[in-house]
C-alpha cells in the first residue's frame, strides 16, 4: 500500500537549486531532425496513454531496434516515476519535481515545460507528477500529487484549465466519447467534460490508484477497497462488483471478456467482467505484492512482482510459462513490442526478454531504481529512474 506521506514533507529542508538538464555526449538519432514536424494526432504507432489504449494491454504498435541504443538522457532532481507518452515527434514527460516536459523525441531538446503551480520560484514546492499523461490531438492531461488534473495545450505548453479533486492522483486519465475519466485517492471516479467541468462522479470505499480501463461502454476500477468494479458509462451506475479480498494498486488490463490484474496480497487474477466469475488465479512461490500493471497478448499475461521476478502466465490456463529473476522488486509496468517485453527493476537495470522463453536479449544498467512504466512508441523507448537526480532515457 503506498504511503500517504508526500514529497512535500520530505523536501522541506532541501535546497531547490537543481534543475533538469540535458546530458551531453550521447548521440542523437541518425537522422538530423533539428525541427519537429507540426503536431499530429496520436496514431497506433504512438504511446499516448499509460498502457497504450483504453484496454490497457501494454502492447506497442511500432517497431524498435533489436538492440536499442541510448540516444539521449535528461536529469531531474527528484527523478521520474510516471510512464511517459510518445506522440509524433514529441515525448511528454511528467517529473516528480513538478514539471511536465514536452521534449523533441530525436534529441531530447526541451520544446516547453509546464509547472504544476504558477509560482516560478524554484525554491517553492511544486506538487509532483506521478501519473502518466493522456495525449490527444490538442491537449495533454495529467494529474498531480495534490489532486489537481491539469489540461495543457500541446502546442504552447500553457494551461487550458484545471480540475481539483480532494486527494492525490496516481493514475492516468482515460477518455470515453467527449468525457475524461479520472480516478483519485479521494475514492471517487469523475466524469469530466472537455471544458474541465465535472459531469458526474462515482463514490467507492477507499483510495483509487489505478488508471481506469475502458471496453465497450464500461469502465473498470481496481482500488484499495478490495473491489473490482464495473461501471456503465451510459448510466454511471455500477453493474458488477467483484470482491478480490486485497487492496489493488495496479491498473486492470482487458482482452475480450477477461480482465487481468495483480493484487497487493500477491495474486494475479483473470476475471470475466461480464459475469463476475474468476476464470483463474495465479500465485507465485512467494505471495508478495503486484504493483506492476500487466501486459497482455493473445497468449500471455506478463507482470512484475515484489518477489523480484517477471512472471509470464498462460492467458488461457493461468499456469506459469516462465519467470525471469532480477535482484530487486519489480514495480515497473512492462511494455511489449513484437516478440519482446521490456521493463525496469529496482536493481537499477532495464531488461528486454524474449516472449517465447524469457531469455534475456537486452539489458541496460541505469544505476538507479527503475520503477516507472515503459513507454514504446514512434520507434523509440522512454523510461525514467526513480531517485534523486534520476535520468529519463530514450532508446532507439
Amino acid at each position: 500500500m503506498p504511503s500517504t506521506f508526500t514529497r512535500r514533507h520530505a523536501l522541506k529542508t532541501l535546497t531547490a537549486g537543481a534543475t533538469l538538464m540535458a546530458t551531453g555526449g550521447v548521440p542523437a538519432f541518425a537522422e538530423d531532425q533539428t525541427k519537429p514536424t507540426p503536431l499530429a494526432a496520436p496514431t497506433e504507432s504512438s504511446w499516448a496513454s499509460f498502457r497504450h489504449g483504453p484496454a490497457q494491454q501494454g502492447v506497442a504498435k511500432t517497431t524498435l531496434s533489436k538492440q536499442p541504443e541510448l540516444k539521449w538522457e535528461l536529469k531531474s532532481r527528484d527523478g521520474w516515476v510516471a510512464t511517459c507518452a510518445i506522440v509524433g515527434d514529441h515525448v511528454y514527460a511528467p517529473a516528480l519535481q513538478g514539471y511536465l516536459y514536452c521534449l523533441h523525441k530525436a534529441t531530447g531538446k526541451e520544446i516547453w515545460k509546464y509547472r504544476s503551480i504558477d509560482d516560478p520560484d524554484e525554491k517553492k514546492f511544486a506538487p509532483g507528477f506521478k501519473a502518466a499523461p493522456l495525449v490527444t490531438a490538442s491537449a495533454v492531461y495529467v494529474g498531480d500529487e495534490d489532486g489537481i488534473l491539469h489540461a495543457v495545450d500541446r502546442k504552447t505548453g500553457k494551461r487550458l484549465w484545471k480540475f481539483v479533486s480532494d486527494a492525490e492522483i496516481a493514475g492516468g486519465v482515460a477518455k470515453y466519447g467527449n468525457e475524461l475519466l479520472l480516478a483519485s485517492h479521494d475514492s471517487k471516479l469523475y466524469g469530466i467534460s472537455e471544458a474541465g467541468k465535472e459531469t458526474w462522479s462515482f463514490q467507492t470505499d477507499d483510495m483509487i490508484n489505478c488508471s481506469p480501463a475502458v471496453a465497450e461502454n464500461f469502465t473498470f476500477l481496481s482500488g484499495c477497497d478490495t473491489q473490482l468494479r464495473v461501471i456503465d458509462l451510459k448510466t454511471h451506475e455500477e453493474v458488477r462488483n467483484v470482491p478480490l479480498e486485497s487492496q489493488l494498486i495496479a491498473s486492470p488490463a482487458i482482452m475480450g471478456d477477461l480482465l487481468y490484474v495483480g493484487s497487493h496480497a500477491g495474486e494475479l487474477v483473470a476475471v470475466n467482467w461480464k459475469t463476475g466469475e474468476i476464470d483463474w488465479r495465479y500465485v507465485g512461490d512467494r505471495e508478495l505484492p503486484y504493483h506492476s500493471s500487466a501486459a497482455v497478448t493473445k497468449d500471455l499475461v506478463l507482470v512484475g512482482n515484489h518477489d523480484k521476478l517477471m512472471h509470464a502466465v498462460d492467458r488461457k490456463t493461468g499456469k506459469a510459462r516462465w519467470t525471469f529473476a532480477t535482484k530487486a522488486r519489480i514495480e515497473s509496468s512492462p511494455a511489449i513490442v513484437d516478440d519482446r517485453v521490456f521493463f525496469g527493476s529496482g536493481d537499477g537495470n532495464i531488461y528486454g526478454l524474449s516472449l517465447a522463453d524469457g531469455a534475456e536479449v537486452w539489458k541496460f544498467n541505469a544505476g538507479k531504481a527503475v520503477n516507472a512504466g515503459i513507454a514504446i512508441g514512434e520507434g523509440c523507448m522512454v523510461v525514467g529512474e526513480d531517485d534523486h537526480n534520476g535520468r529519463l532515457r530514450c532508446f532507439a
Side-chain angles (χ1 to χ4, degrees):
M1 189 48 230
S3 171
T4 56
F5 183 79
T6 68
R7 287 188 317 110
R8 187 188 301 278
H9 304 89
L11 293 175
K12 276 184 178 179
T13 59
L14 292 180
T15 301
T19 59
L20 183 144
M21 55 176 287
T23 301
V26 179
F29 284 96
E31 63 269 27
D32 181 15
Q33 298 178 358
T34 56
K35 293 184 178 180
T37 57
L39 294 180
T43 66
E44 278 201 346
S45 64
S46 305
W47 188 281
S49 61
F50 172 48
R51 304 298 290 145
H52 189 236
Q56 302 192 150
Q57 294 171 1
V59 179
K61 302 293 178 63
T62 186
T63 58
L64 187 67
S65 169
K66 287 298 182 184
Q67 291 296 314
E69 296 181 358
L70 179 63
K71 299 305 178 182
W72 53 261
E73 55 188 27
L74 222 55
K75 187 185 294 183
S76 183
R77 184 189 65 201
D78 300 327
W80 316 77
V81 297
T83 304
C84 294
I86 309 167
V87 179
D89 285 338
H90 301 95
V91 173
Y92 299 89
L96 270 178
Q97 195 177 345
Y99 288 107
L100 169 68
Y101 288 87
C102 175
L103 306 170
H104 184 205
K105 183 192 70 177
T107 65
K109 177 183 176 182
E110 179 186 308
I111 306 300
W112 52 254
K113 67 178 178 181
Y114 169 89
R115 200 174 193 207
S116 61
I117 59 173
D118 293 328
D119 194 330
D121 184 358
E122 288 281 343
K123 294 181 180 179
K124 186 173 178 62
F125 178 89
F129 293 110
K130 297 179 180 179
L134 168 69
V135 179
T136 67
S138 59
V140 185
Y141 303 97
V142 63
D144 71 27
E145 60 185 345
D146 267 9
I148 297 175
L149 176 65
H150 301 259
V152 182
D153 186 281
R154 270 186 71 193
K155 185 175 182 180
T156 66
K158 303 297 184 183
R159 179 185 298 151
L160 297 171
W161 49 259
K162 63 180 182 181
F163 174 84
V164 182
S165 73
D166 291 330
E168 179 177 311
I169 298 168
V173 177
K175 203 166 188 295
Y176 176 75
N178 294 323
E179 282 189 326
L180 301 169
L181 305 177
L182 171 70
S184 169
H185 276 196
D186 67 9
S187 75
K188 286 184 179 180
L189 171 70
Y190 294 92
I192 303 170
S193 73
E194 291 182 320
K197 305 299 182 182
E198 180 181 332
T199 54
W200 59 276
S201 66
F202 179 86
Q203 180 74 52
T204 69
D205 297 328
D206 207 337
M207 297 188 300
I208 309 171
N209 295 283
C210 77
S211 299
V214 178
E216 299 176 11
N217 57 294
F218 300 95
T219 191
F220 309 87
L221 294 178
S222 51
C224 288
D225 63 2
T226 75
Q227 311 296 312
L228 173 66
R229 299 176 185 271
V230 183
I231 297 167
D232 190 322
L233 290 170
K234 292 182 178 179
T235 65
H236 309 144
E237 296 180 354
E238 182 178 274
V239 296
R240 196 151 293 109
N241 184 319
V242 184
L244 292 181
E245 302 174 353
S246 170
Q247 295 167 336
L248 300 165
I249 309 302
S251 297
I254 312 292
M255 183 168 282
D257 295 348
L258 294 180
L259 177 150
Y260 305 90
V261 67
S263 77
H264 186 70
E267 188 176 59
L268 176 66
V269 296
V271 181
N272 186 314
W273 61 266
K274 291 187 175 180
T275 66
E277 297 177 350
I278 304 294
D279 197 63
W280 51 255
R281 299 175 183 265
Y282 169 84
V283 178
D285 292 337
R286 295 190 294 164
E287 295 183 32
L288 294 175
Y290 288 101
H291 289 184
S292 166
S293 297
V296 181
T297 73
K298 64 182 180 65
D299 298 317
L300 296 174
V301 181
L302 297 111
V303 62
N305 187 275
H306 281 197
D307 65 3
K308 308 178 186 179
L309 299 176
M310 176 57 62
H311 296 259
V313 180
D314 188 288
R315 192 175 73 84
K316 295 180 179 178
T317 67
K319 304 298 183 183
R321 287 275 195 93
W322 52 259
T323 59
F324 178 87
T326 71
K327 295 181 180 179
R329 66 187 188 183
I330 302 170
E331 294 195 347
S332 172
S333 296
I336 293 169
V337 60
D338 52 62
D339 58 354
R340 296 164 293 166
V341 58
F342 290 87
F343 64 96
S345 170
D347 68 10
N349 290 305
I350 307 166
Y351 295 92
L353 309 180
S354 165
L355 288 179
D357 56 9
E360 182 182 305
V361 295
W362 181 87
K363 183 169 78 170
F364 179 87
N365 179 242
K368 297 181 179 181
V370 180
N371 294 320
I374 304 288
I376 301 177
E378 313 290 8
C380 70
M381 174 172 66
V382 179
V383 62
E385 295 172 333
D386 177 15
D387 206 343
H388 180 65
N389 287 332
R391 297 173 191 268
L392 181 76
R393 292 183 170 92
C394 178
F395 301 87

